[in-house]
Amino acid sequence: MKRVLAISLIAVIAANLVAAQEGKSLPKMPIPEQYEHSIRHRWLNKPILECRMLDDMEDPATWQHRGFGKMTFVDTPVVEGKKSLKLTSPTKGDKLGGNDARPWGAATAIRTVAGEDWTDWNRLSFRVYPDLPGFKVVSLNLTFHNGGAEKVPGPYGRNGLNFVILENQQWNHIVWEIAHLGRDKVTGVEFSYRLQGNEPGAAETVTFYIDQLELQKVAPDHYEGWNVAPGQIAYCHSGYPPASAKIALASDLTAGEFSLVDAKSGCETFRGKVVARTTPLGRFQIMDFTTFDLPGEYILRAGDRSTRPFAISNDAWRDSIVKTINHFYCQRCGQAIEGIHDVCHKDWMCAHGDRNIHINGGWHDAGDLSQGLVNTSEGVYAMLALADALQTRDPLVSKRLIEESQWGLDWVLKTRFGDGFRCNWATMDFWTDGIPGTVDDVTARAGNSPFENFMAASAEALAARMLRDIDREKAEASLAAAREDWQFAMNAGRRDRLDTVAAALNASLDLYDTLVATGDATAAQRYKEAAIEMARSVVDCQQQAETDMPFKGFFYTAPDKRQILHYSHRGHEQAPITGLIRLCRQFDSHADFPKWHAAIALYAEYYKAVCEYTQPWAMLPAGIYDLQEARDDTTRTQIKNGTRLTDRYYLRRFPTWRDFRGNCGTVLSQTKGLAAAARYLNDPELLQLCQLQIQWVLGFNPFCQSLMYGEGYDFAPQYTAMSGDLVGGLPVGVQTHFDRDEPYWPTENCYNWKEIWVHPSSRWLWIMSDLYAGQ
């Protein structure tokens, strides 16, 4: 056996040397997905155990029409039989609705059901032919209705909604697993087209043909719980850096050993024991191959079960970086993106008094087409920070990051009114004709917010430093804007919350760094002094003293320590820690250095301790919750569904939330802070904890799915109704089912939890600046 292994290792080393000599390159963008790796490919190839034709469109008696357009039954086109349902609709109404940046309404065909029990069926299947001339992206919304014990849609109007992306002008086969939905008294299934406008030159009237609606029974995907999906192995699909933790999990293995097999030669290269472990989350089988660090491409096997190929390489996560850049590129507003949209939103404005600014540009924020200052600033900052870290190691990616960052930076600069007011947020959820003065015009209102201005100042200051030798004129303009925006924020005076204080701390340090780099140490001094002042407030917000609570090291929203700091959607938990780390690195002789250092260390120990509650996944928990802070019964119930620490305090693995759900933004913000702390403290255990959060996103999760679209395997559709599926996109994240505290990831695709979003993508790039710098 040893001789076989030795021969195998020699073969692997030789193959790796050849691969290393091939060099690196960047793909043309937009990057196409590998469809055979997608979950849709697997869904459509699942064995059908039973099937019942629900409607072949031959009898219109069970159908109703609602809203815009009209519904008829026609002879052609059809899949089978004599008829198909035809739904036509305009793309716009005569005037915008109550929320003047959302769709005009919908055209809906409803298949009514007389309270049937569909418990024995767990999948819907149908064919649809969309005919939308000139449209590059086509979406259709499905809504399931149940009137039984579990009402569907539920309290937040999200469960039971499924948005699907269609190929235009051809028949599409759509399947939707409904095992997670109450279906004991089904009352209907809706097929809706939302009126979301059209680009110039595209049709203003659209048509959908629907045929062959079936009920099916299949082996359903795993959708809730901490256990690994039956019959599968959870592992990081993209692979592992050689020095990282390398762990795979299962919940139903019978094998006592596992092995790594070279994906090219088929030779076994490592063998290990499958170790059973019981934690508060259940019983798991652990396959640990951390000690194996030979670069290559491998398959893990345990009994009759195998993974798909994954890499062990220092560049294992490089593709995820490149694909994240692709996501941002595809979200560009105001530029034609092949296969997604033409030059868009030339009639989009922001108003401040009697002044208006055109605000197309930057990046569309999410599955809709909105724009936001915070997410754009953070995107710019993350790209430039990673570009800085990769200048020597990967100059191609570094250069591409700097290039992409300019698209966001230009938007940050152009949407300033120069007096503290700027476009902080602008909702947009449809395509416009690009002509000012028509029915589809949208005008946002400017605001003057200290938090937003500090965030902008950070991005502008870093850009000024990074662009000095690339575009001096833009660098100077960015520095001037940063100094002005910082002063506008300081003048506003409202810095009573930790998120604003931490933003001020980091913006001050960014200006200090840039001014020192440009040789103006005198001007930099005031920003150093401001940063040190802000740091005192940051430290005062931390729980440092021993109490009856078993943990310390977390933060409150203010020095009065009345409310524990939590984020349930967009996360900024990294800000206090990154600011303190930067102070420690630069001013280690300052009298406050011991306090800064102690706060960082305490925070790191806190997360190492609470992650014991999510083993063996080690997903970063949402944190400690105080029952006395609960303002309603729903929040109180969610807190109590966490893990009891005392009568008053509970630990939640997921945040408490309402309709805005999904934890990618919160977990990756925590990860960013801890990754920076791991580097500063030189803490291998903490670094491993951060790497596990990356692995969770890339397939090491109970559902064995990569959450990044187009990376790894079994990546699921995301809510991208306007721009289509975008390689490199991350969703808002895994949610919980109503008030529970365990992961919930059903097959349906709906805002906000499965909505593509630039916020977690920014965090992804920013984390990589620490993980790559730490290698």
Side-chain angles (χ1 to χ4, degrees):
M1 180 64 187
K2 290 182 179 178
R3 177 174 173 80
V4 172
L5 284 174
I7 294 172
S8 302
L9 293 177
I10 292 170
V12 171
I13 291 169
N16 289 335
L17 288 173
V18 172
Q21 293 169 4
E22 293 175 354
K24 302 173 183 177
S25 61
L26 296 179
K28 180 180 181 296
M29 298 181 183
I31 300 173
E33 68 173 278
Q34 289 185 267
Y35 173 71
E36 66 275 13
H37 291 170
S38 73
I39 204 167
R40 276 182 291 205
H41 180 267
R42 181 167 64 78
W43 287 342
L44 289 174
N45 286 279
K46 272 192 180 185
I48 300 171
L49 306 178
E50 292 184 49
C51 183
R52 168 192 155 193
M53 179 61 70
L54 179 63
D55 205 307
D56 57 7
M57 310 303 155
E58 306 300 311
D59 180 6
T62 56
W63 287 90
Q64 296 177 0
H65 173 260
R66 185 178 66 225
F68 286 81
K70 63 180 180 179
M71 179 186 74
T72 57
F73 291 81
V74 296
D75 300 331
T76 186
V78 297
V79 175
E80 291 183 27
K82 299 178 180 179
K83 299 285 186 181
S84 67
L85 182 151
K86 179 181 180 181
L87 179 66
T88 60
S89 175
T91 62
K92 302 175 185 176
D94 295 331
K95 61 180 181 178
L96 293 174
N99 186 335
D100 64 1
R102 295 299 184 187
W104 281 263
T108 302
I110 309 167
R111 184 16 169 112
T112 61
V113 181
E116 293 182 11
D117 186 348
W118 287 1
T119 305
D120 291 337
W121 307 100
N122 59 21
R123 190 165 88 165
L124 291 172
S125 170
F126 67 97
R127 266 69 170 183
V128 55
Y129 185 109
D131 187 11
L132 290 76
F135 274 66
K136 296 177 177 62
V137 176
V138 178
S139 70
L140 186 69
N141 177 30
L142 316 175
T143 305
F144 190 86
H145 290 273
N146 187 65
E150 180 184 324
K151 302 294 188 293
V152 181
Y156 305 112
R158 300 291 199 269
N159 66 315
L161 273 68
N162 187 25
F163 287 81
V164 294
I165 299 296
L166 306 175
E167 294 292 330
N168 201 4
Q169 298 179 321
Q170 66 182 59
W171 283 106
N172 294 254
H173 183 193
I174 304 299
V175 294
W176 176 18
E177 291 185 17
I178 55 174
H180 62 292
L181 297 175
R183 52 195 189 281
D184 57 330
K185 190 177 180 181
V186 179
T187 57
V189 181
E190 295 184 9
F191 301 79
S192 296
Y193 166 73
R194 296 198 303 174
L195 279 64
Q196 292 183 280
N198 59 278
E199 293 192 272
E204 295 184 358
T205 299
V206 300
T207 304
F208 294 83
Y209 301 91
I210 301 170
D211 202 358
Q212 302 297 297
L213 177 59
E214 296 179 347
L215 288 172
Q216 297 178 345
K217 180 185 286 188
V218 297
D221 281 6
H222 181 43
Y223 61 85
E224 185 176 22
W226 293 101
N227 59 300
V228 179
Q232 296 198 49
I233 296 172
Y235 66 104
C236 182
H237 298 176
S238 303
Y240 307 83
S244 74
K246 306 176 196 72
I247 297 170
L249 297 178
S251 291
D252 56 0
L253 271 180
T254 57
E257 290 187 328
F258 72 96
S259 61
L260 292 184
V261 176
D262 179 67
K264 295 179 181 178
S265 70
C267 296
E268 183 178 296
T269 58
F270 179 87
R271 182 173 292 178
K273 295 289 186 182
V274 175
V275 178
R277 181 183 176 188
T278 299
T279 79
L281 302 184
R283 184 170 176 79
F284 299 88
Q285 291 95 46
I286 299 174
M287 291 153 278
D288 190 338
F289 51 104
T290 299
T291 58
F292 184 82
D293 59 4
L294 183 67
E297 190 171 77
Y298 301 96
I299 293 170
L300 187 151
R301 289 179 179 165
D304 60 356
R305 199 172 302 179
S306 298
T307 67
R308 285 182 272 191
F310 60 87
I312 294 179
S313 167
N314 279 323
D315 287 328
W317 299 334
R318 182 180 189 264
D319 279 355
S320 76
I321 294 172
V322 174
K323 290 173 181 177
T324 301
I325 299 171
N326 178 77
H327 169 213
F328 277 96
Y329 172 77
C330 293
Q331 292 275 30
R332 285 186 179 187
C333 176
Q335 175 179 327
I337 305 296
E338 181 181 355
I340 299 175
H341 61 73
D342 294 324
V343 176
C344 59
H345 298 118
K346 292 186 288 186
D347 50 358
W348 198 5
M349 308 287 285
C350 182
H352 172 40
D354 59 356
R355 300 165 61 196
N356 290 280
I357 293 175
H358 287 273
I359 58 171
N360 68 329
W363 303 294
H364 296 141
D365 182 77
D368 58 12
L369 304 170
S370 300
Q371 287 266 28
L373 184 281
V374 172
N375 285 343
T376 302
S377 296
E378 291 189 326
V380 171
Y381 196 98
M383 289 177 194
L384 293 174
L386 181 54
D388 195 22
L390 293 178
Q391 280 188 76
T392 301
R393 173 178 175 149
D394 199 334
L396 275 177
V397 171
S398 177
K399 181 179 178 181
R400 182 64 186 85
L401 284 161
I402 292 173
E403 176 191 349
E404 191 60 39
S405 73
Q406 303 314 290
W407 200 259
L409 177 64
D410 289 346
W411 189 86
V412 171
L413 294 173
K414 75 177 273 189
T415 55
R416 305 172 68 246
F417 284 91
D419 59 354
F421 282 80
R422 64 192 321 139
C423 182
N424 290 327
W425 179 255
T427 301
M428 176 60 72
D429 203 4
F430 48 76
W431 300 117
T432 70
D433 58 16
I435 303 171
T438 60
V439 68
D440 60 9
D441 289 357
V442 173
T443 300
R445 299 295 168 186
N448 184 358
S449 161
F451 181 75
E452 271 79 357
N453 277 323
F454 281 133
M455 298 300 289
S458 278
E460 292 157 348
L462 180 56
R465 179 167 62 84
M466 292 291 292
L467 298 178
R468 279 184 304 156
D469 299 326
I470 300 172
D471 186 338
R472 182 165 294 275
E473 183 178 350
K474 186 180 289 186
E476 291 175 354
S478 296
L479 180 55
R483 297 181 75 168
E484 288 181 0
D485 290 338
W486 184 89
Q487 193 61 57
F488 292 140
M490 293 294 286
N491 291 345
R494 298 188 302 275
R495 296 187 300 278
D496 54 347
R497 287 182 56 87
L498 176 60
D499 51 5
T500 303
V501 172
L505 165 60
N506 283 287
S508 300
L509 290 172
D510 285 313
L511 275 161
Y512 174 84
D513 289 345
T514 298
L515 288 166
V516 168
T518 58
D520 196 348
T522 301
Q525 189 63 26
R526 66 179 299 212
Y527 300 105
K528 171 186 173 181
E529 293 170 359
I532 291 169
E533 177 191 348
M534 299 300 167
R536 295 188 179 109
S537 293
V538 167
V539 171
D540 286 345
C541 290
Q542 189 179 43
Q543 179 63 46
Q544 296 186 335
E546 299 284 351
T547 65
D548 58 348
M549 193 191 313
F551 300 107
K552 57 183 179 179
F554 55 89
F555 285 92
Y556 291 85
T557 61
D560 61 17
K561 295 184 172 63
R562 293 181 180 178
Q563 184 177 358
I564 299 173
L565 179 71
H566 296 117
Y567 294 96
S568 62
H569 186 52
R570 188 175 70 192
H572 298 282
E573 191 171 323
Q574 82 293 333
I577 291 302
T578 57
L580 293 177
I581 290 168
R582 295 170 70 187
L583 283 170
C584 286
R585 288 190 181 279
Q586 296 186 76
F587 311 119
D588 57 359
S589 61
H590 192 276
D592 286 347
F593 170 81
K595 295 180 180 179
W596 305 333
H597 180 88
I600 297 164
L602 200 60
Y603 183 79
E605 291 305 313
Y606 163 68
Y607 268 108
K608 285 192 283 187
V610 296
C611 276
E612 289 301 311
Y613 289 82
T614 57
Q615 293 292 347
W617 303 106
M619 183 197 80
L620 293 173
I624 307 298
Y625 284 76
D626 183 351
L627 270 178
Q628 293 185 5
E629 294 177 16
R631 289 176 287 183
D632 53 62
D633 290 341
T634 297
T635 304
R636 192 171 293 107
T637 298
Q638 290 185 13
I639 292 174
K640 286 189 172 183
N641 282 341
T643 299
R644 180 184 175 278
L645 302 175
T646 69
D647 288 344
R648 176 177 174 181
Y649 296 105
Y650 288 72
L651 183 134
R652 284 279 301 183
R653 298 176 175 97
F654 288 86
T656 59
W657 38 29
R658 294 293 193 275
D659 52 346
F660 275 47
R661 293 167 173 248
N663 73 338
C664 277
T666 58
V667 167
L668 292 179
S669 295
Q670 294 166 312
T671 304
K672 169 58 194 179
L674 292 173
R679 282 185 60 206
Y680 169 70
L681 298 169
N682 193 24
D683 186 333
E685 182 184 354
L686 193 60
L687 179 62
Q688 177 178 313
L689 189 59
C690 297
Q691 292 167 336
L692 288 170
Q693 312 314 308
I694 298 298
Q695 294 175 26
W696 169 280
V697 172
L698 296 175
F700 181 67
N701 56 60
F703 313 106
C704 304
Q705 296 178 25
S706 172
L707 305 186
M708 179 178 286
Y709 195 84
E711 175 69 0
Y713 308 106
D714 274 4
F715 44 86
Q718 298 171 356
Y719 175 78
T720 53
M722 305 301 295
S723 301
D725 296 312
L726 306 179
V727 167
L730 286 174
V732 175
V734 175
Q735 63 151 324
T736 61
H737 191 42
F738 298 136
D739 297 335
R740 300 171 190 167
D741 192 26
E742 59 182 7
Y744 181 61
W745 191 249
T747 61
E748 67 191 20
N749 181 25
C750 186
Y751 49 82
N752 296 88
W753 56 290
K754 272 196 178 176
E755 185 169 0
I756 197 170
W757 196 21
V758 298
H759 172 66
S761 295
S762 296
R763 291 289 182 266
W764 190 266
L765 296 177
W766 202 11
I767 293 164
M768 291 298 169
S769 70
D770 286 304
L771 297 188
Y772 271 79
Q775 288 185 4

